[in-house]
Amino acid sequence: MPLRKEYEIEVCYQCDWNCNYCCVQTHTKTPVSDKEIKDNFLSHQIKDSNITISGGEPSFASDHLLIFLIEYALMNRCDLNLNTKDKSIENKYNKYVIKECVSIFNK
């Protein structure tokens, strides 16, 4: 069985925590537009891949962007992971995330 491609999408760099060990450098990076993130995502052949949505904190990204990424990944038979500390996202994206994602939270 061939290995699945792995993609990680940082949907924003914003975060309300200030961890000194954070490898994302959330407080110093220049924000990227939703359009740039979508265009970059669409430029890859993601079918049957493993997709991780992360950030900063993904719950700070726009709903429109997150729903687009989730729906597109699921439409392409991807396994989907959402790395977040925000447990309210479980309720917010229940229609998309809870039933379809392989894993939802880093605990």
Side-chain angles (χ1 to χ4, degrees), residues 4-25:
R4 293 173 67 106
K5 289 184 183 175
E6 299 271 345
Y7 295 97
E8 182 170 356
I9 305 151
E10 291 181 345
V11 293
C12 68
Y13 301 125
Q14 204 175 357
C15 183
D16 55 344
W17 287 5
N18 194 19
C19 305
N20 61 359
Y21 56 82
C22 181
C23 63
V24 179
Q25 301 171 342

Side-chain angles (χ1 to χ4, degrees), residues 10-13 29-38 65:
E10 291 181 345
V11 293
C12 68
Y13 301 125
K29 284 189 173 177
T30 305
V32 179
S33 73
D34 287 2
K35 182 181 179 341
E36 289 175 280
I37 293 169
K38 283 182 186 179
L65 175 63

Side-chain angles (χ1 to χ4, degrees), residues 32-102:
V32 179
S33 73
D34 287 2
K35 182 181 179 341
E36 289 175 280
I37 293 169
K38 283 182 186 179
D39 289 348
N40 187 18
F41 188 58
L42 292 172
S43 72
H44 292 79
Q45 299 294 323
I46 66 160
K47 193 169 210 114
D48 298 315
S49 298
N50 295 323
I51 306 289
T52 300
I53 297 174
S54 67
E57 173 49 54
S59 63
F60 284 111
S62 72
D63 288 342
H64 182 264
L65 175 63
L66 288 177
I67 290 168
F68 170 82
L69 296 173
I70 291 167
E71 287 183 337
Y72 189 77
L74 295 176
M75 189 172 57
N76 283 279
R77 298 189 327 242
C78 295
D79 287 341
L80 188 59
N81 297 286
L82 181 59
N83 290 343
T84 182
K85 63 171 183 50
D86 185 355
K87 297 214 181 224
S88 71
I89 221 166
E90 182 175 352
N91 295 326
K92 192 173 187 180
Y93 298 104
N94 185 350
K95 173 182 173 184
Y96 303 97
V97 178
I98 302 310
K99 295 175 184 127
E100 305 292 343
C101 288
V102 171

